[in-house]
Amino acid sequence: MTKKNKGLLIVLSGPSGCGKGTLVGELMKRGDCAVSVSATTRAPRTNEADGVHYHFISHAEFEQRIREDGLLEYAEYCGNYYGTPRKEVEAMRAEGKHVILEIEVQGAFQIRERCPEAVLVFTTPPSIEELRRRLHKRGTETEEVIEQRIARAKEELPYAEQYDYIVLNDALEDAVADLNTVIRAASMRPENTDLSGLL
Ligand code: 5GP
């Protein structure tokens, strides 16, 4: 019995500001994970580089990618488009990497439809007050945008119940350990295991 050569597809959702980026950074230390770089029409933040944090593209270009079926999923979030480039994800999985998609809930459910083997993980902050505190601490959004994102978080949180796993991001090391456990469990699922040598 061996592991299938194709890597897992791991969806990581959760309210903006709940620490998904930090969690992904920790998972990247494993060496067998890769993160998908999304396309977006949102303007870059001061610390963001094109092709690293996102592929920053125009509305017209995004719509062109939708028409060409170049996106595995896409959604509109707080007035901007966000989407996952299909080819990049497929190439990384073919190399055996576990690909992490850091995406919001509408996109997550599109992935479940199109890639039923995907593992959907929702990360939650300990409370809405803590989420607001983290967004203020990040200091990259205006007060208005922070409140918009809090409102969106309240809308998204009930969807956590439809995910495969919920990971509480309170103490970072506990959340990272939980995610590693999820990856370990997912890699033991029959669809990710090759029994052909035994049967
Ligand atoms: P931010 O503007 O804070 O970078 O991202 C806003 C939201 O969009 C976050 O919840 C993030 O996870 C989500 N997001 C980022 N990339 C994608 C994507 O490719 N597809 C979808 N559906 N959501 C995304």
Side-chain angles (χ1 to χ4, degrees), residues 12-17 20 36-40 42 45 48 54 73-77 82-85 102-108 110 138 141 149 156:
L12 190 62
S13 301
S16 171
K20 283 175 301 200
S36 159
V37 178
S38 297
T40 185
R42 160 165 89 58
R45 298 185 184 126
E48 287 178 334
Y54 281 106
E73 61 72 37
Y74 71 93
E76 206 186 323
Y77 179 96
Y82 295 81
T84 303
E102 194 202 313
I103 63 178
E104 51 69 70
V105 294
Q106 305 166 73
Q110 289 174 42
R138 184 161 87 182
E141 272 88 14
R149 284 175 179 242
E156 284 193 356

PDB file of all heavy atoms in Angstrom, residues 12-17 20 36-40 42 45 48 54 73-77 82-85 102-108 110 138 141 149 156, ligand 1:
ATOM      1  N   LEU A  12      -8.756  26.180   2.859  1.00  0.00           N
ATOM      2  CA  LEU A  12      -8.700  26.811   4.174  1.00  0.00           C
ATOM      3  C   LEU A  12      -9.500  28.112   4.104  1.00  0.00           C
ATOM      4  O   LEU A  12      -9.133  29.038   3.382  1.00  0.00           O
ATOM      5  CB  LEU A  12      -7.236  27.097   4.529  1.00  0.00           C
ATOM      6  CG  LEU A  12      -6.936  27.526   5.950  1.00  0.00           C
ATOM      7  CD1 LEU A  12      -7.314  26.439   6.951  1.00  0.00           C
ATOM      8  CD2 LEU A  12      -5.448  27.850   6.101  1.00  0.00           C
ATOM      9  N   SER A  13     -10.620  28.129   4.831  1.00  0.00           N
ATOM     10  CA  SER A  13     -11.450  29.343   4.871  1.00  0.00           C
ATOM     11  C   SER A  13     -11.502  29.856   6.295  1.00  0.00           C
ATOM     12  O   SER A  13     -11.094  29.164   7.246  1.00  0.00           O
ATOM     13  CB  SER A  13     -12.880  29.047   4.430  1.00  0.00           C
ATOM     14  OG  SER A  13     -12.933  28.534   3.131  1.00  0.00           O
ATOM     15  N   GLY A  14     -12.070  31.038   6.432  1.00  0.00           N
ATOM     16  CA  GLY A  14     -12.218  31.618   7.766  1.00  0.00           C
ATOM     17  C   GLY A  14     -12.232  33.119   7.607  1.00  0.00           C
ATOM     18  O   GLY A  14     -11.728  33.629   6.600  1.00  0.00           O
ATOM     19  N   PRO A  15     -12.773  33.820   8.584  1.00  0.00           N
ATOM     20  CA  PRO A  15     -12.896  35.265   8.459  1.00  0.00           C
ATOM     21  C   PRO A  15     -11.558  35.949   8.192  1.00  0.00           C
ATOM     22  O   PRO A  15     -10.528  35.505   8.697  1.00  0.00           O
ATOM     23  CB  PRO A  15     -13.436  35.687   9.825  1.00  0.00           C
ATOM     24  CG  PRO A  15     -14.050  34.477  10.396  1.00  0.00           C
ATOM     25  CD  PRO A  15     -13.313  33.310   9.842  1.00  0.00           C
ATOM     26  N   SER A  16     -11.622  37.013   7.399  1.00  0.00           N
ATOM     27  CA  SER A  16     -10.447  37.838   7.136  1.00  0.00           C
ATOM     28  C   SER A  16      -9.903  38.341   8.476  1.00  0.00           C
ATOM     29  O   SER A  16     -10.663  38.868   9.294  1.00  0.00           O
ATOM     30  CB  SER A  16     -10.904  39.006   6.261  1.00  0.00           C
ATOM     31  OG  SER A  16      -9.907  39.952   6.136  1.00  0.00           O
ATOM     32  N   GLY A  17      -8.625  38.122   8.719  1.00  0.00           N
ATOM     33  CA  GLY A  17      -8.013  38.584   9.966  1.00  0.00           C
ATOM     34  C   GLY A  17      -7.921  37.492  11.019  1.00  0.00           C
ATOM     35  O   GLY A  17      -7.396  37.729  12.110  1.00  0.00           O
ATOM     36  N   LYS A  20      -5.331  33.129   8.854  1.00  0.00           N
ATOM     37  CA  LYS A  20      -5.124  32.070   7.840  1.00  0.00           C
ATOM     38  C   LYS A  20      -3.744  32.182   7.206  1.00  0.00           C
ATOM     39  O   LYS A  20      -3.075  31.177   6.985  1.00  0.00           O
ATOM     40  CB  LYS A  20      -6.173  32.200   6.718  1.00  0.00           C
ATOM     41  CG  LYS A  20      -7.535  31.683   7.092  1.00  0.00           C
ATOM     42  CD  LYS A  20      -8.508  31.963   5.976  1.00  0.00           C
ATOM     43  CE  LYS A  20      -8.549  33.419   5.739  1.00  0.00           C
ATOM     44  NZ  LYS A  20      -9.513  34.135   5.126  1.00  0.00           N
ATOM     45  N   SER A  36      -1.641  27.975  -3.341  1.00  0.00           N
ATOM     46  CA  SER A  36      -2.090  28.493  -4.634  1.00  0.00           C
ATOM     47  C   SER A  36      -2.129  30.022  -4.564  1.00  0.00           C
ATOM     48  O   SER A  36      -2.655  30.582  -3.601  1.00  0.00           O
ATOM     49  CB  SER A  36      -3.480  27.928  -4.928  1.00  0.00           C
ATOM     50  OG  SER A  36      -4.152  28.726  -5.859  1.00  0.00           O
ATOM     51  N   VAL A  37      -1.569  30.684  -5.562  1.00  0.00           N
ATOM     52  CA  VAL A  37      -1.616  32.149  -5.622  1.00  0.00           C
ATOM     53  C   VAL A  37      -2.845  32.539  -6.444  1.00  0.00           C
ATOM     54  O   VAL A  37      -2.933  32.213  -7.633  1.00  0.00           O
ATOM     55  CB  VAL A  37      -0.319  32.730  -6.245  1.00  0.00           C
ATOM     56  CG1 VAL A  37      -0.404  34.248  -6.343  1.00  0.00           C
ATOM     57  CG2 VAL A  37       0.901  32.301  -5.422  1.00  0.00           C
ATOM     58  N   SER A  38      -3.803  33.185  -5.795  1.00  0.00           N
ATOM     59  CA  SER A  38      -5.068  33.536  -6.438  1.00  0.00           C
ATOM     60  C   SER A  38      -4.918  34.751  -7.338  1.00  0.00           C
ATOM     61  O   SER A  38      -3.992  35.544  -7.177  1.00  0.00           O
ATOM     62  CB  SER A  38      -6.103  33.888  -5.369  1.00  0.00           C
ATOM     63  OG  SER A  38      -6.377  32.783  -4.558  1.00  0.00           O
ATOM     64  N   ALA A  39      -5.870  34.886  -8.235  1.00  0.00           N
ATOM     65  CA  ALA A  39      -5.991  36.114  -9.016  1.00  0.00           C
ATOM     66  C   ALA A  39      -7.028  36.989  -8.321  1.00  0.00           C
ATOM     67  O   ALA A  39      -7.994  36.477  -7.759  1.00  0.00           O
ATOM     68  CB  ALA A  39      -6.451  35.787 -10.427  1.00  0.00           C
ATOM     69  N   THR A  40      -6.804  38.292  -8.311  1.00  0.00           N
ATOM     70  CA  THR A  40      -7.805  39.199  -7.725  1.00  0.00           C
ATOM     71  C   THR A  40      -7.818  40.533  -8.443  1.00  0.00           C
ATOM     72  O   THR A  40      -6.802  40.947  -9.006  1.00  0.00           O
ATOM     73  CB  THR A  40      -7.553  39.438  -6.212  1.00  0.00           C
ATOM     74  OG1 THR A  40      -8.628  40.230  -5.684  1.00  0.00           O
ATOM     75  CG2 THR A  40      -6.244  40.159  -5.936  1.00  0.00           C
ATOM     76  N   ARG A  42      -8.657  43.108  -6.518  1.00  0.00           N
ATOM     77  CA  ARG A  42      -8.403  44.044  -5.404  1.00  0.00           C
ATOM     78  C   ARG A  42      -7.041  44.718  -5.602  1.00  0.00           C
ATOM     79  O   ARG A  42      -6.115  44.111  -6.150  1.00  0.00           O
ATOM     80  CB  ARG A  42      -8.447  43.262  -4.072  1.00  0.00           C
ATOM     81  CG  ARG A  42      -7.750  43.964  -2.943  1.00  0.00           C
ATOM     82  CD  ARG A  42      -8.060  43.428  -1.584  1.00  0.00           C
ATOM     83  NE  ARG A  42      -7.230  42.344  -1.066  1.00  0.00           N
ATOM     84  CZ  ARG A  42      -5.919  42.374  -0.902  1.00  0.00           C
ATOM     85  NH1 ARG A  42      -5.195  43.398  -1.325  1.00  0.00           N
ATOM     86  NH2 ARG A  42      -5.286  41.341  -0.362  1.00  0.00           N
ATOM     87  N   ARG A  45      -2.055  45.595  -1.196  1.00  0.00           N
ATOM     88  CA  ARG A  45      -1.709  46.335   0.032  1.00  0.00           C
ATOM     89  C   ARG A  45      -0.221  46.674  -0.069  1.00  0.00           C
ATOM     90  O   ARG A  45       0.498  46.068  -0.871  1.00  0.00           O
ATOM     91  CB  ARG A  45      -1.954  45.458   1.273  1.00  0.00           C
ATOM     92  CG  ARG A  45      -3.407  45.048   1.424  1.00  0.00           C
ATOM     93  CD  ARG A  45      -3.644  44.278   2.734  1.00  0.00           C
ATOM     94  NE  ARG A  45      -5.018  43.826   2.817  1.00  0.00           N
ATOM     95  CZ  ARG A  45      -5.398  42.550   3.036  1.00  0.00           C
ATOM     96  NH1 ARG A  45      -4.495  41.605   3.194  1.00  0.00           N
ATOM     97  NH2 ARG A  45      -6.673  42.241   3.099  1.00  0.00           N
ATOM     98  N   GLU A  48       2.320  43.851  -0.260  1.00  0.00           N
ATOM     99  CA  GLU A  48       2.004  42.731  -1.156  1.00  0.00           C
ATOM    100  C   GLU A  48       2.689  42.863  -2.514  1.00  0.00           C
ATOM    101  O   GLU A  48       2.729  43.957  -3.078  1.00  0.00           O
ATOM    102  CB  GLU A  48       0.487  42.625  -1.364  1.00  0.00           C
ATOM    103  CG  GLU A  48      -0.231  42.095  -0.139  1.00  0.00           C
ATOM    104  CD  GLU A  48      -1.741  42.034  -0.312  1.00  0.00           C
ATOM    105  OE1 GLU A  48      -2.299  42.815  -1.119  1.00  0.00           O
ATOM    106  OE2 GLU A  48      -2.375  41.230   0.369  1.00  0.00           O
ATOM    107  N   TYR A  54      -0.767  37.620  -4.553  1.00  0.00           N
ATOM    108  CA  TYR A  54      -1.866  37.466  -5.515  1.00  0.00           C
ATOM    109  C   TYR A  54      -1.314  37.761  -6.904  1.00  0.00           C
ATOM    110  O   TYR A  54      -0.269  38.395  -7.038  1.00  0.00           O
ATOM    111  CB  TYR A  54      -2.976  38.510  -5.248  1.00  0.00           C
ATOM    112  CG  TYR A  54      -3.912  38.186  -4.106  1.00  0.00           C
ATOM    113  CD1 TYR A  54      -3.816  38.868  -2.898  1.00  0.00           C
ATOM    114  CD2 TYR A  54      -4.917  37.236  -4.251  1.00  0.00           C
ATOM    115  CE1 TYR A  54      -4.697  38.600  -1.842  1.00  0.00           C
ATOM    116  CE2 TYR A  54      -5.796  36.968  -3.202  1.00  0.00           C
ATOM    117  CZ  TYR A  54      -5.680  37.646  -2.009  1.00  0.00           C
ATOM    118  OH  TYR A  54      -6.550  37.379  -0.981  1.00  0.00           O
ATOM    119  N   GLU A  73     -12.334  27.977  -9.360  1.00  0.00           N
ATOM    120  CA  GLU A  73     -13.476  28.572  -8.659  1.00  0.00           C
ATOM    121  C   GLU A  73     -13.231  30.060  -8.640  1.00  0.00           C
ATOM    122  O   GLU A  73     -12.098  30.500  -8.791  1.00  0.00           O
ATOM    123  CB  GLU A  73     -13.615  28.036  -7.224  1.00  0.00           C
ATOM    124  CG  GLU A  73     -12.430  28.296  -6.294  1.00  0.00           C
ATOM    125  CD  GLU A  73     -12.269  29.737  -5.843  1.00  0.00           C
ATOM    126  OE1 GLU A  73     -13.297  30.399  -5.613  1.00  0.00           O
ATOM    127  OE2 GLU A  73     -11.138  30.216  -5.743  1.00  0.00           O
ATOM    128  N   TYR A  74     -14.290  30.837  -8.425  1.00  0.00           N
ATOM    129  CA  TYR A  74     -14.110  32.273  -8.200  1.00  0.00           C
ATOM    130  C   TYR A  74     -15.310  32.815  -7.454  1.00  0.00           C
ATOM    131  O   TYR A  74     -16.365  32.180  -7.414  1.00  0.00           O
ATOM    132  CB  TYR A  74     -13.891  33.034  -9.521  1.00  0.00           C
ATOM    133  CG  TYR A  74     -15.113  33.128 -10.385  1.00  0.00           C
ATOM    134  CD1 TYR A  74     -15.963  34.235 -10.293  1.00  0.00           C
ATOM    135  CD2 TYR A  74     -15.434  32.114 -11.275  1.00  0.00           C
ATOM    136  CE1 TYR A  74     -17.098  34.307 -11.086  1.00  0.00           C
ATOM    137  CE2 TYR A  74     -16.562  32.187 -12.057  1.00  0.00           C
ATOM    138  CZ  TYR A  74     -17.395  33.286 -11.958  1.00  0.00           C
ATOM    139  OH  TYR A  74     -18.513  33.351 -12.724  1.00  0.00           O
ATOM    140  N   ALA A  75     -15.125  33.975  -6.834  1.00  0.00           N
ATOM    141  CA  ALA A  75     -16.216  34.592  -6.081  1.00  0.00           C
ATOM    142  C   ALA A  75     -15.985  36.084  -6.005  1.00  0.00           C
ATOM    143  O   ALA A  75     -14.869  36.567  -6.213  1.00  0.00           O
ATOM    144  CB  ALA A  75     -16.261  34.007  -4.669  1.00  0.00           C
ATOM    145  N   GLU A  76     -17.065  36.793  -5.683  1.00  0.00           N
ATOM    146  CA  GLU A  76     -16.941  38.215  -5.424  1.00  0.00           C
ATOM    147  C   GLU A  76     -16.957  38.381  -3.917  1.00  0.00           C
ATOM    148  O   GLU A  76     -17.757  37.734  -3.223  1.00  0.00           O
ATOM    149  CB  GLU A  76     -18.118  38.952  -6.052  1.00  0.00           C
ATOM    150  CG  GLU A  76     -17.766  40.376  -6.382  1.00  0.00           C
ATOM    151  CD  GLU A  76     -18.951  41.174  -6.873  1.00  0.00           C
ATOM    152  OE1 GLU A  76     -19.792  40.626  -7.600  1.00  0.00           O
ATOM    153  OE2 GLU A  76     -19.007  42.346  -6.490  1.00  0.00           O
ATOM    154  N   TYR A  77     -16.038  39.171  -3.407  1.00  0.00           N
ATOM    155  CA  TYR A  77     -15.927  39.356  -1.962  1.00  0.00           C
ATOM    156  C   TYR A  77     -15.673  40.835  -1.702  1.00  0.00           C
ATOM    157  O   TYR A  77     -14.680  41.387  -2.199  1.00  0.00           O
ATOM    158  CB  TYR A  77     -14.766  38.509  -1.424  1.00  0.00           C
ATOM    159  CG  TYR A  77     -14.520  38.615   0.059  1.00  0.00           C
ATOM    160  CD1 TYR A  77     -15.056  37.681   0.950  1.00  0.00           C
ATOM    161  CD2 TYR A  77     -13.755  39.649   0.586  1.00  0.00           C
ATOM    162  CE1 TYR A  77     -14.832  37.786   2.308  1.00  0.00           C
ATOM    163  CE2 TYR A  77     -13.522  39.759   1.951  1.00  0.00           C
ATOM    164  CZ  TYR A  77     -14.064  38.822   2.800  1.00  0.00           C
ATOM    165  OH  TYR A  77     -13.839  38.923   4.148  1.00  0.00           O
ATOM    166  N   TYR A  82     -12.145  37.336  -6.736  1.00  0.00           N
ATOM    167  CA  TYR A  82     -11.008  36.505  -6.322  1.00  0.00           C
ATOM    168  C   TYR A  82     -11.195  35.139  -6.978  1.00  0.00           C
ATOM    169  O   TYR A  82     -12.315  34.614  -6.990  1.00  0.00           O
ATOM    170  CB  TYR A  82     -11.005  36.279  -4.803  1.00  0.00           C
ATOM    171  CG  TYR A  82     -10.786  37.499  -3.961  1.00  0.00           C
ATOM    172  CD1 TYR A  82     -11.828  38.374  -3.682  1.00  0.00           C
ATOM    173  CD2 TYR A  82      -9.526  37.770  -3.422  1.00  0.00           C
ATOM    174  CE1 TYR A  82     -11.630  39.497  -2.891  1.00  0.00           C
ATOM    175  CE2 TYR A  82      -9.322  38.892  -2.623  1.00  0.00           C
ATOM    176  CZ  TYR A  82     -10.377  39.755  -2.361  1.00  0.00           C
ATOM    177  OH  TYR A  82     -10.173  40.868  -1.576  1.00  0.00           O
ATOM    178  N   GLY A  83     -10.120  34.533  -7.496  1.00  0.00           N
ATOM    179  CA  GLY A  83     -10.269  33.218  -8.114  1.00  0.00           C
ATOM    180  C   GLY A  83      -8.984  32.403  -8.103  1.00  0.00           C
ATOM    181  O   GLY A  83      -7.883  32.953  -8.006  1.00  0.00           O
ATOM    182  N   THR A  84      -9.157  31.089  -8.216  1.00  0.00           N
ATOM    183  CA  THR A  84      -8.026  30.152  -8.164  1.00  0.00           C
ATOM    184  C   THR A  84      -7.627  29.710  -9.570  1.00  0.00           C
ATOM    185  O   THR A  84      -8.443  29.099 -10.258  1.00  0.00           O
ATOM    186  CB  THR A  84      -8.436  28.891  -7.362  1.00  0.00           C
ATOM    187  OG1 THR A  84      -8.854  29.298  -6.059  1.00  0.00           O
ATOM    188  CG2 THR A  84      -7.296  27.898  -7.262  1.00  0.00           C
ATOM    189  N   PRO A  85      -6.393  29.998  -9.997  1.00  0.00           N
ATOM    190  CA  PRO A  85      -5.955  29.576 -11.331  1.00  0.00           C
ATOM    191  C   PRO A  85      -5.880  28.045 -11.428  1.00  0.00           C
ATOM    192  O   PRO A  85      -5.204  27.401 -10.629  1.00  0.00           O
ATOM    193  CB  PRO A  85      -4.554  30.187 -11.471  1.00  0.00           C
ATOM    194  CG  PRO A  85      -4.455  31.209 -10.395  1.00  0.00           C
ATOM    195  CD  PRO A  85      -5.355  30.749  -9.297  1.00  0.00           C
ATOM    196  N   GLU A 102      -6.436  29.221   0.046  1.00  0.00           N
ATOM    197  CA  GLU A 102      -6.932  30.085   1.121  1.00  0.00           C
ATOM    198  C   GLU A 102      -8.053  30.924   0.524  1.00  0.00           C
ATOM    199  O   GLU A 102      -7.810  31.980  -0.053  1.00  0.00           O
ATOM    200  CB  GLU A 102      -5.759  30.952   1.604  1.00  0.00           C
ATOM    201  CG  GLU A 102      -6.026  31.637   2.901  1.00  0.00           C
ATOM    202  CD  GLU A 102      -5.137  32.859   3.073  1.00  0.00           C
ATOM    203  OE1 GLU A 102      -3.925  32.765   2.844  1.00  0.00           O
ATOM    204  OE2 GLU A 102      -5.697  33.906   3.424  1.00  0.00           O
ATOM    205  N   ILE A 103      -9.286  30.424   0.631  1.00  0.00           N
ATOM    206  CA  ILE A 103     -10.397  31.054  -0.095  1.00  0.00           C
ATOM    207  C   ILE A 103     -11.642  31.173   0.794  1.00  0.00           C
ATOM    208  O   ILE A 103     -11.735  30.511   1.826  1.00  0.00           O
ATOM    209  CB  ILE A 103     -10.746  30.281  -1.390  1.00  0.00           C
ATOM    210  CG1 ILE A 103     -11.227  28.866  -1.090  1.00  0.00           C
ATOM    211  CG2 ILE A 103      -9.544  30.232  -2.320  1.00  0.00           C
ATOM    212  CD1 ILE A 103     -11.621  28.075  -2.340  1.00  0.00           C
ATOM    213  N   GLU A 104     -12.587  32.019   0.348  1.00  0.00           N
ATOM    214  CA  GLU A 104     -13.786  32.232   1.154  1.00  0.00           C
ATOM    215  C   GLU A 104     -14.850  31.156   0.842  1.00  0.00           C
ATOM    216  O   GLU A 104     -14.628  30.275   0.000  1.00  0.00           O
ATOM    217  CB  GLU A 104     -14.287  33.686   1.038  1.00  0.00           C
ATOM    218  CG  GLU A 104     -14.458  34.198  -0.342  1.00  0.00           C
ATOM    219  CD  GLU A 104     -15.584  33.523  -1.033  1.00  0.00           C
ATOM    220  OE1 GLU A 104     -16.753  33.768  -0.649  1.00  0.00           O
ATOM    221  OE2 GLU A 104     -15.314  32.728  -1.966  1.00  0.00           O
ATOM    222  N   VAL A 105     -15.997  31.239   1.539  1.00  0.00           N
ATOM    223  CA  VAL A 105     -16.929  30.102   1.530  1.00  0.00           C
ATOM    224  C   VAL A 105     -17.572  29.779   0.173  1.00  0.00           C
ATOM    225  O   VAL A 105     -17.718  28.604  -0.166  1.00  0.00           O
ATOM    226  CB  VAL A 105     -18.051  30.254   2.590  1.00  0.00           C
ATOM    227  CG1 VAL A 105     -17.498  30.205   3.984  1.00  0.00           C
ATOM    228  CG2 VAL A 105     -18.855  31.510   2.401  1.00  0.00           C
ATOM    229  N   GLN A 106     -17.929  30.810  -0.609  1.00  0.00           N
ATOM    230  CA  GLN A 106     -18.579  30.493  -1.902  1.00  0.00           C
ATOM    231  C   GLN A 106     -17.627  29.671  -2.763  1.00  0.00           C
ATOM    232  O   GLN A 106     -18.028  28.690  -3.397  1.00  0.00           O
ATOM    233  CB  GLN A 106     -18.906  31.766  -2.681  1.00  0.00           C
ATOM    234  CG  GLN A 106     -19.736  32.794  -1.950  1.00  0.00           C
ATOM    235  CD  GLN A 106     -19.690  34.123  -2.704  1.00  0.00           C
ATOM    236  OE1 GLN A 106     -20.302  34.265  -3.755  1.00  0.00           O
ATOM    237  NE2 GLN A 106     -18.958  35.086  -2.186  1.00  0.00           N
ATOM    238  N   GLY A 107     -16.361  30.083  -2.779  1.00  0.00           N
ATOM    239  CA  GLY A 107     -15.342  29.362  -3.551  1.00  0.00           C
ATOM    240  C   GLY A 107     -15.131  27.960  -3.003  1.00  0.00           C
ATOM    241  O   GLY A 107     -14.964  26.996  -3.761  1.00  0.00           O
ATOM    242  N   ALA A 108     -15.165  27.830  -1.667  1.00  0.00           N
ATOM    243  CA  ALA A 108     -14.941  26.519  -1.045  1.00  0.00           C
ATOM    244  C   ALA A 108     -15.997  25.517  -1.520  1.00  0.00           C
ATOM    245  O   ALA A 108     -15.681  24.372  -1.857  1.00  0.00           O
ATOM    246  CB  ALA A 108     -14.982  26.653   0.476  1.00  0.00           C
ATOM    247  N   GLN A 110     -17.729  25.665  -4.277  1.00  0.00           N
ATOM    248  CA  GLN A 110     -17.512  25.357  -5.709  1.00  0.00           C
ATOM    249  C   GLN A 110     -16.436  24.265  -5.833  1.00  0.00           C
ATOM    250  O   GLN A 110     -16.538  23.370  -6.668  1.00  0.00           O
ATOM    251  CB  GLN A 110     -17.037  26.595  -6.466  1.00  0.00           C
ATOM    252  CG  GLN A 110     -18.098  27.650  -6.659  1.00  0.00           C
ATOM    253  CD  GLN A 110     -17.496  28.903  -7.295  1.00  0.00           C
ATOM    254  OE1 GLN A 110     -16.692  28.840  -8.215  1.00  0.00           O
ATOM    255  NE2 GLN A 110     -17.877  30.054  -6.785  1.00  0.00           N
ATOM    256  N   ARG A 138      -3.424  44.525  12.479  1.00  0.00           N
ATOM    257  CA  ARG A 138      -2.825  44.378  11.151  1.00  0.00           C
ATOM    258  C   ARG A 138      -2.639  45.741  10.488  1.00  0.00           C
ATOM    259  O   ARG A 138      -1.647  45.972   9.802  1.00  0.00           O
ATOM    260  CB  ARG A 138      -3.732  43.473  10.296  1.00  0.00           C
ATOM    261  CG  ARG A 138      -3.179  43.159   8.951  1.00  0.00           C
ATOM    262  CD  ARG A 138      -3.851  41.929   8.375  1.00  0.00           C
ATOM    263  NE  ARG A 138      -5.073  42.262   7.670  1.00  0.00           N
ATOM    264  CZ  ARG A 138      -5.880  41.364   7.102  1.00  0.00           C
ATOM    265  NH1 ARG A 138      -5.606  40.081   7.186  1.00  0.00           N
ATOM    266  NH2 ARG A 138      -6.964  41.735   6.459  1.00  0.00           N
ATOM    267  N   GLU A 141      -6.254  47.977   6.832  1.00  0.00           N
ATOM    268  CA  GLU A 141      -7.566  48.377   6.318  1.00  0.00           C
ATOM    269  C   GLU A 141      -8.091  49.602   7.061  1.00  0.00           C
ATOM    270  O   GLU A 141      -7.777  49.817   8.234  1.00  0.00           O
ATOM    271  CB  GLU A 141      -8.581  47.240   6.492  1.00  0.00           C
ATOM    272  CG  GLU A 141      -8.618  46.277   5.331  1.00  0.00           C
ATOM    273  CD  GLU A 141      -7.613  45.137   5.476  1.00  0.00           C
ATOM    274  OE1 GLU A 141      -7.077  44.938   6.573  1.00  0.00           O
ATOM    275  OE2 GLU A 141      -7.351  44.474   4.480  1.00  0.00           O
ATOM    276  N   ARG A 149     -15.624  43.812   6.819  1.00  0.00           N
ATOM    277  CA  ARG A 149     -15.084  42.460   6.948  1.00  0.00           C
ATOM    278  C   ARG A 149     -15.648  41.727   8.178  1.00  0.00           C
ATOM    279  O   ARG A 149     -15.851  40.523   8.147  1.00  0.00           O
ATOM    280  CB  ARG A 149     -13.551  42.492   6.962  1.00  0.00           C
ATOM    281  CG  ARG A 149     -13.051  42.730   5.561  1.00  0.00           C
ATOM    282  CD  ARG A 149     -11.584  42.912   5.417  1.00  0.00           C
ATOM    283  NE  ARG A 149     -11.296  43.104   4.000  1.00  0.00           N
ATOM    284  CZ  ARG A 149     -10.547  42.300   3.258  1.00  0.00           C
ATOM    285  NH1 ARG A 149      -9.952  41.271   3.791  1.00  0.00           N
ATOM    286  NH2 ARG A 149     -10.375  42.533   1.973  1.00  0.00           N
ATOM    287  N   GLU A 156     -20.329  34.566   7.329  1.00  0.00           N
ATOM    288  CA  GLU A 156     -19.629  33.338   6.923  1.00  0.00           C
ATOM    289  C   GLU A 156     -19.574  32.274   8.026  1.00  0.00           C
ATOM    290  O   GLU A 156     -19.582  31.080   7.724  1.00  0.00           O
ATOM    291  CB  GLU A 156     -18.184  33.666   6.515  1.00  0.00           C
ATOM    292  CG  GLU A 156     -18.077  34.302   5.159  1.00  0.00           C
ATOM    293  CD  GLU A 156     -16.640  34.322   4.634  1.00  0.00           C
ATOM    294  OE1 GLU A 156     -15.720  33.913   5.365  1.00  0.00           O
ATOM    295  OE2 GLU A 156     -16.463  34.733   3.494  1.00  0.00           O
TER     296      GLU A 156
HETATM  297  P1  5GP B   1      -8.072  39.560   1.255  1.00  0.00           P
HETATM  298  O1  5GP B   1      -8.611  40.733   0.493  1.00  0.00           O
HETATM  299  O2  5GP B   1      -8.128  39.770   2.752  1.00  0.00           O
HETATM  300  O3  5GP B   1      -6.704  39.143   0.776  1.00  0.00           O
HETATM  301  O4  5GP B   1      -9.036  38.323   0.940  1.00  0.00           O
HETATM  302  C1  5GP B   1     -10.417  38.444   1.151  1.00  0.00           C
HETATM  303  C2  5GP B   1     -11.043  37.078   1.150  1.00  0.00           C
HETATM  304  O5  5GP B   1     -10.931  36.481  -0.142  1.00  0.00           O
HETATM  305  C3  5GP B   1     -10.397  36.100   2.131  1.00  0.00           C
HETATM  306  O6  5GP B   1     -11.444  35.411   2.817  1.00  0.00           O
HETATM  307  C4  5GP B   1      -9.632  35.166   1.245  1.00  0.00           C
HETATM  308  O7  5GP B   1      -9.527  33.883   1.821  1.00  0.00           O
HETATM  309  C5  5GP B   1     -10.514  35.143   0.014  1.00  0.00           C
HETATM  310  N1  5GP B   1      -9.821  34.703  -1.179  1.00  0.00           N
HETATM  311  C6  5GP B   1      -8.518  34.893  -1.517  1.00  0.00           C
HETATM  312  N2  5GP B   1      -8.251  34.314  -2.691  1.00  0.00           N
HETATM  313  C7  5GP B   1      -9.397  33.725  -3.113  1.00  0.00           C
HETATM  314  C8  5GP B   1      -9.758  32.942  -4.263  1.00  0.00           C
HETATM  315  O8  5GP B   1      -8.964  32.650  -5.141  1.00  0.00           O
HETATM  316  N3  5GP B   1     -11.046  32.537  -4.335  1.00  0.00           N
HETATM  317  C9  5GP B   1     -11.974  32.824  -3.398  1.00  0.00           C
HETATM  318  N4  5GP B   1     -13.199  32.336  -3.558  1.00  0.00           N
HETATM  319  N5  5GP B   1     -11.664  33.541  -2.291  1.00  0.00           N
HETATM  320  C10 5GP B   1     -10.401  33.985  -2.155  1.00  0.00           C
END
